[in-house]
Amino acid sequence: MSIEIPSQVIFYSIERAIKEYRKFAQKNISKEIKDITVDQGLVLLFLDHYPDLSQKEIAELVFKDNASMTRMIDLMVKKQYLMRTINDQDRRRHTLTITTEGKRILKKLPPIILQNRKKALEGVTDEEIQQLQSTLSKIITNCTQ
């Protein structure tokens, strides 16, 4: 039995597209905001919209394991983007709060993100995006059943 070489399989193309977009996005973010990663920006955006998220919930949203998320949050606290305090209701949990520095970064991120998305989707129609979204949703469902 033989299998196709990885570069000829759709999953390779999906992975490559994600990696190329992340490199592209990081380059453009770094031009405007020094010392922040795409993932750190995502953490700030999620916390800004959903301030009660737990560290575990954030990790799931940004596709990180708990250890990686802990390291990232430690670094974001050190950079003064976040403040971590003990949760009053459950002392085993921490509450994450965006600092003034984090809020400053949050004001700069949206135009960069919108420009990145616009450039990445240049020449892609709404119908193509809907079809891709539908196809990816089917793949996700198949893999999570």
Side-chain angles (χ1 to χ4, degrees):
M1 178 166 104
S2 77
I3 62 170
E4 296 174 75
I5 61 171
S7 61
Q8 295 175 337
V9 178
I10 189 65
F11 299 108
Y12 180 88
S13 296
I14 293 169
E15 183 77 17
R16 180 162 180 222
I18 291 167
K19 288 185 183 301
E20 291 300 329
Y21 178 76
R22 288 181 66 85
K23 281 193 313 193
F24 170 76
Q26 185 63 61
K27 180 180 78 172
N28 291 331
I29 288 170
S30 293
K31 285 179 190 174
E32 300 295 323
I33 307 168
K34 302 298 180 221
D35 203 30
I36 191 164
T37 66
V38 169
D39 289 334
Q40 290 169 359
L42 286 172
V43 169
L44 289 174
L45 288 166
F46 279 123
L47 277 173
D48 188 45
H49 283 85
Y50 309 103
D52 295 329
L53 285 175
S54 70
Q55 185 171 315
K56 183 179 179 182
E57 291 167 329
I58 297 167
E60 289 173 11
L61 289 169
V62 297
F63 310 110
K64 298 291 178 194
D65 60 62
N66 288 333
S68 296
M69 192 75 243
T70 298
R71 285 190 300 275
M72 186 187 312
I73 288 175
D74 287 345
L75 187 58
M76 292 178 76
V77 168
K78 186 177 178 182
K79 291 179 180 182
Q80 298 182 341
Y81 300 156
L82 294 176
M83 184 172 58
R84 180 177 24 208
T85 55
I86 300 291
N87 185 305
D88 292 335
Q89 283 76 38
D90 183 350
R91 298 191 52 76
R92 295 169 294 175
R93 292 181 57 174
H94 291 96
T95 300
L96 297 170
T97 309
I98 301 172
T99 63
T100 302
E101 179 62 15
K103 288 180 194 267
R104 185 186 67 77
I105 288 169
L106 274 170
K107 286 182 182 168
K108 290 182 169 187
L109 276 175
I112 301 167
I113 292 168
L114 291 173
Q115 188 59 40
N116 286 344
R117 289 175 184 172
K118 182 179 176 184
K119 177 64 177 167
L121 295 173
E122 209 169 78
V124 181
T125 66
D126 288 343
E127 293 80 21
E128 289 171 319
I129 291 169
Q130 289 172 350
Q131 181 59 54
L132 179 59
Q133 190 77 320
S134 174
T135 302
L136 292 173
S137 291
K138 288 176 186 177
I139 292 170
I140 292 165
T141 299
N142 291 342
C143 293
T144 56
Q145 290 180 342

